[in-house]
């Protein structure tokens, strides 16, 4: 009862010997995620949390049959880490790293089009299928297994929503943080398609914000194709125009990227939106 | 923007910015390369003032093709004798765009003199993710009207933008900070507004919280503070920090995470008169609105 992530993912951690990589590897393993190896160039032959460390992704794939990679390496080397995972035939890449330049992401996205690899992120908290597996940094205790699919550009705001859902006894199928950057590997629409096709997902929650066209494209997709009810919250109604607010993608640069335009578009597509992210469960009862 | 810095930076790519000499020929158009964040590609265009004459989409993998530059020059009615020079200029501009990690680089009012094309003015906007950039000349060369950025300061992992309201906002996470700003306006029925945007990032270390609070304490328009923090397992640490620091203003704290209950107890037992806790975002915002305006927010 999930999309993208379950115990069938054989996961490698790129940057497993770094502070974050090591910390979250332990957390993911404790949750039951199938971590099979780590990659840190120059540290091949070491062990981390009982898992072998390899010098390259291809060596890790050959030895373990890994099909998924989560990337924690620093921004200057993250693009190379993504290409390495793509070229090694990894099917699902989750890039947690923040601060990859836009031009690098434009190249990566273009390169991805020629492959069957899916990239989540960058600058994203990853995915959590409650009760099953966690890939990334989402605090796993907030989730509860169930039938609500959650997709968000924002991290902690999404955690608040998920906690509220859990408290209201509305469990989640999969929680997907697509990331706060302007150029993303996986969009709202891509994720909505997966939730629409997932037999275990009954309702979907979309958490958006100012900047870009992701929510507007989602509204068009929902109107044309979604049969499952979608609920949402959009942050940034009071954001001043022309200023980047924290996320590299959160900027109002034209009328269409305002929170108001997104809210109007989503409402017109039949999405019910909350004024308070914690009050989404109340909206979803009816 | 420092004109000399921009001139010096562009000179590295053999692009000249200069006032047109008397014997020069004006071309009546400009050339720019900008990141199209919707399409996910760079786009090169020739333009006249606000009007775009023509553009070509640049493949992020292949880069600018010679024919694309030639077609732009042709569409802009550039005389054939200048095509080679124009193609070179476009190629140089793309090299510069890549090297600078630019979001926009623009050459205005092109003119030709002795067979060379120069621009009268230039504009540069940079990608903020360019922390990979090391060149101080670039920062000086950037236009002050760039769609950013410089409004928001980023120091020691704290993103901060002062606004005009009376309630200081401190959150960890950009989305959570924006949500708090929106809810202040919503629950006060627009009678109160956020005094700032502030995202202190994931970790709630003592020095970071202290630095964030001291940034807000310098703003005389702030009447109350609201802290919305997703602490994971750091709520107790955050609560201990907050009770140890001076809290001159009414401060409402919403802490959520695995240890939020013991964290609330820490704050309540410290009995700091100005420090209040809230169990939900709604309660936190309403209490802060009440403290700042003296009026009861809707439904309290």
């Amino acid at each position: 009862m999930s999309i993208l992530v379950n115990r069938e993912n054989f996961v490698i951690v790129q940057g497993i010997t770094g502070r974050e990589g090591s910390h979250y590897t332990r957390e993911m393993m404790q949750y039951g995620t199938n971590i099979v190896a780590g990659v840190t160039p120059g540290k091949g032959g070491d062990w981390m949390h009982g898992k072998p460390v390899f010098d390259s992704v291809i060596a890790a794939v050959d030895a373990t049959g890994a099909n998924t990679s989560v990337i924690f390496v620093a921004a200057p080397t993250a693009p190379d880490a993504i290409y390495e995972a793509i070229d090694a035939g990894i099917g699902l890449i989750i890039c947690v790293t923040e601060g990859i330049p836009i031009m690098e992401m434009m190249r990566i996205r273009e390169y991805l089009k020629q492959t069957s690899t899916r990239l989540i992120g960058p600058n994203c908290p990853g995915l959590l299928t409650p009760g099953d597996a966690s890939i990334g940094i989402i605090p796993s205790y907030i989730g509860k297994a169930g039938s609500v699919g959650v997709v968000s550009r924002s991290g902690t705001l999404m955690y608040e929503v998920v906690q509220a859902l859990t408290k209201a006894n509305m469990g989640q199928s999969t929680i997907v943080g697509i990331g706060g950057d302007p150029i993303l590997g996986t969009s709202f629409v891509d994720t909505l398609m997966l939730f629409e096709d997932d037999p275990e997902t009954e309702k979907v929650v979309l958490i958006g914000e100012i900047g870009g066209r992701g929510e507007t494209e989602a509204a068009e997709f929902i109107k044309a194709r979604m049969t499952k009810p979608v609920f949402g919250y959009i942050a940034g109604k009071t954001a001043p125009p022309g200023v980047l607010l924290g996320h590299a993608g959160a900027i109002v640069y034209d009328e269409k990227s305002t929170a108001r335009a997104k809210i109007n578009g989503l409402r017109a597509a039949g999405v019910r939106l909350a004024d308070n992210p914690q009050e989404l469960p109340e909206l979803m009862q009816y | 923007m420092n004109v000399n810095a921009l001139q010096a930076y562009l000179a590295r790519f053999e692009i000249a910015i200069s006032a047109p000499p008397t014997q020069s020929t004006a071309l009546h158009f400009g050339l720019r390369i900008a990141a199209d964040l919707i399409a996910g590609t760079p786009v090169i265009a020739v333009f006249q003032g606000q009007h775009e004459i023509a553009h070509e989409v640049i493949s992020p993998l292949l880069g600018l093709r010679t024919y694309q530059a030639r077609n732009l020059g042709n569409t802009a009615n550039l005389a054939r004798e200048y095509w080679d020079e124009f193609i070179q200029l476009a190629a140089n501009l793309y090299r510069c765009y890549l090297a600078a990690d630019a979001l926009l680089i623009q050459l205005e009012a092109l003119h030709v003199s002795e067979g060379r094309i120069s621009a009268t003015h230039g504009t540069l906007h940079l990608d903020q993710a360019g922390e990979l950039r090391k060149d101080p000349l670039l920062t000086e060369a950037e236009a002050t009207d760039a769609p950013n950025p410089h409004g928001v300061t980023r120091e020691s992992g704290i993103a901060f933008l002062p606004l005009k309201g009376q309630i200081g906002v401190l959150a960890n996470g950009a989305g959570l900070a924006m949500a708090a700003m929106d809810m202040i306006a919503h629950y006060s029925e627009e009678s109160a507004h956020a005094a700032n945007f502030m995202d202190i990032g994931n970790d709630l270390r003592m020095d970071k919280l202290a630095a964030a609070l001291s940034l807000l304490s310098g703003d005389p328009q702030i009447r109350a503070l609201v802290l919305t923090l997703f602490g994971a397992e750091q709520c107790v640490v955050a609560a201990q920090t907050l009770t140890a620091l001076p809290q001159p203003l009414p401060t409402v704290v919403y802490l959520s995470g695995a240890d939020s209950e013991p964290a609330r107890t820490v704050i309540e037992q410290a009995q700091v008169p100005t420090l209040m806790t809230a169990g939900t975002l709604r309660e936190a915002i309403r209490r802060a609105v009440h403290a700042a305006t003296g009026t009861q927010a809707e439904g309290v």
Side-chain angles (χ1 to χ4, degrees):
Chain A
M1 40 202 281
S2 61
I3 62 166
L4 299 170
V5 175
N6 55 39
R7 300 248 163 126
E8 322 259 290
N9 295 76
F10 296 98
V11 184
I12 57 166
V13 180
Q14 288 178 261
I16 193 169
T17 54
R19 192 171 60 92
E20 293 226 314
S22 160
H23 173 78
Y24 288 108
T25 298
R26 197 175 48 232
E27 303 242 315
M28 289 186 279
M29 285 171 63
Q30 279 168 359
Y31 198 67
T33 309
N34 209 339
I35 305 282
V36 294
V39 174
T40 299
K43 300 225 167 138
D46 286 6
W47 292 77
M48 179 61 83
H49 307 312
K51 302 296 173 187
V53 179
F54 293 89
D55 283 319
S56 69
V57 176
I58 191 73
V61 168
D62 285 347
T64 65
N67 54 21
T68 305
S69 176
V70 54
I71 296 178
F72 287 98
V73 307
T77 45
D80 193 61
I82 295 172
Y83 288 119
E84 188 182 356
I86 298 170
D87 290 347
I90 293 283
L92 176 65
I93 302 171
I94 293 99
C95 183
V96 176
T97 309
E98 176 177 4
I100 298 179
I102 283 166
M103 187 62 211
E104 289 284 4
M105 273 314 300
M106 287 180 169
R107 283 199 197 96
I108 288 167
R109 201 164 75 169
E110 201 69 16
Y111 191 65
L112 278 167
K113 285 180 189 165
Q114 304 165 18
T115 74
S116 55
T117 301
R118 177 188 295 281
L119 170 70
I120 311 273
N123 187 16
C124 82
L127 303 98
L128 171 67
T129 295
D132 207 351
S134 162
I135 306 182
I137 64 171
I138 299 175
S140 49
Y141 69 85
I142 64 174
K144 170 187 160 65
S147 61
V148 180
V150 180
V151 56
S152 171
R153 276 164 73 189
S154 172
T156 53
L157 180 58
M158 172 173 81
Y159 304 163
E160 287 299 337
V161 171
V162 172
Q163 283 196 131
L165 289 169
T166 295
K167 214 168 148 189
N169 211 18
M170 295 179 180
Q172 307 90 37
S173 54
T174 298
I175 298 155
V176 186
I178 57 172
D181 274 11
I183 310 286
L184 295 170
T186 297
S187 66
F188 275 124
V189 170
D190 297 332
T191 316
L192 289 174
M193 275 185 201
L194 295 171
F195 280 134
E196 174 70 10
D197 291 342
D198 173 34
E200 303 298 333
T201 299
E202 289 169 10
K203 295 176 180 177
V204 178
V205 169
L206 180 152
I207 304 149
E209 61 188 36
I210 53 167
R213 293 283 186 276
E215 294 82 352
T216 310
E217 288 163 7
E220 285 159 15
F221 175 78
I222 291 164
K223 198 169 186 178
R225 300 266 308 278
M226 285 288 282
T227 59
K228 297 176 184 177
V230 183
F231 302 84
Y233 176 77
I234 302 293
K237 270 186 279 192
T238 55
V243 185
L244 269 181
L245 286 186
H247 290 149
I251 179 167
V252 170
Y253 49 80
D254 63 10
E255 201 46 47
K256 285 184 180 165
S257 62
T258 62
R260 186 49 63 194
K262 294 176 184 210
I263 288 168
N264 291 344
L266 287 164
R267 286 220 165 107
V271 177
R272 300 188 58 189
L273 297 167
D275 288 315
N276 175 338
Q278 278 182 336
E279 291 171 6
L280 270 161
E282 294 169 29
L283 212 62
M284 292 167 65
Q285 277 168 353
Y286 311 104
Chain B
M1 175 177 73
N2 180 330
V3 177
N4 294 333
L6 181 60
Q7 211 166 24
Y9 190 75
L10 291 174
R12 293 181 189 172
F13 300 89
E14 293 163 56
I15 298 168
I17 302 278
S18 64
T22 39
Q23 75 279 26
S24 67
T25 312
L27 294 180
H28 305 295
F29 62 86
L31 180 67
R32 77 167 154 252
I33 301 174
D36 182 338
L37 298 180
I38 309 300
T41 62
V43 169
I44 183 166
V46 281
F47 62 94
Q48 244 163 3
Q50 298 298 309
H51 167 68
E52 180 184 291
I53 301 167
H55 74 261
E56 294 274 348
V57 172
I58 300 174
S59 157
L61 291 178
L62 292 176
L64 178 67
R65 307 283 87 200
T66 299
Y67 82 85
Q68 295 182 305
R70 187 167 54 234
N71 286 357
L72 288 179
N74 196 7
T75 313
N77 290 324
L78 180 68
R80 282 179 181 158
E81 59 185 299
Y82 302 134
W83 281 9
D84 285 348
E85 171 69 10
F86 183 74
I87 288 165
Q88 190 58 53
L89 177 73
N92 291 343
L93 193 66
Y94 190 59
R95 277 199 300 130
C96 178
Y97 174 87
L98 293 180
D101 259 319
L103 286 184
L104 175 140
I105 184 159
Q106 180 163 293
L107 301 175
E108 292 132 39
L110 299 177
H111 53 85
V112 194
S113 142
E114 293 171 4
R116 277 212 65 189
I117 303 178
S118 308
T120 314
H121 308 284
T123 306
L124 175 66
H125 295 170
L126 299 171
D127 176 1
Q128 289 304 294
E131 273 160 26
L132 309 176
R133 288 188 306 259
K134 302 270 187 309
D135 198 330
L137 193 57
L138 267 175
T139 320
E140 276 184 61
E142 181 166 27
T144 44
D145 69 339
N148 136 27
H150 299 309
V152 174
T153 57
R154 284 169 179 277
E155 268 174 53
S156 350
I158 300 172
F160 175 58
L161 174 77
L163 298 166
K164 295 222 159 23
Q166 54 281 71
I167 300 177
V169 171
L170 193 164
N172 65 334
L176 198 51
M178 283 189 267
M181 292 160 60
D182 293 351
M183 280 189 281
I184 289 170
H186 176 72
Y187 285 123
S188 71
E189 294 174 332
E190 305 285 334
S191 68
H193 290 94
N196 65 280
F197 165 86
M198 181 183 277
D199 168 18
I200 65 167
N202 260 330
D203 72 277
L204 301 180
R205 288 190 328 265
M206 184 164 201
D207 55 326
K208 208 168 179 187
L209 266 178
L213 285 169
S214 89
L215 270 173
L216 296 178
S217 70
D219 185 343
Q221 66 176 344
I222 295 183
R223 299 270 174 266
L225 296 178
V226 62
L227 279 56
T228 57
L229 301 171
F230 182 89
E233 277 108 36
Q234 307 173 84
C235 292
V236 169
V237 177
Q240 285 163 346
T241 306
L242 292 170
T243 51
L245 292 168
Q247 303 292 352
L249 286 166
T251 301
V252 189
V253 186
Y254 168 74
L255 277 167
S256 91
D259 60 345
S260 58
E261 279 312 310
R264 281 186 78 173
T265 311
V266 168
I267 293 178
E268 277 153 21
Q269 283 177 352
Q271 297 192 325
V272 180
T274 48
L275 200 57
M276 294 161 268
T277 61
T280 63
L281 287 171
R282 176 201 287 256
E283 187 191 350
I285 302 297
R286 285 178 167 176
R287 284 190 149 191
V289 168
H290 178 59
T293 63
T295 56
Q296 296 283 32
E298 171 217 333
V300 173

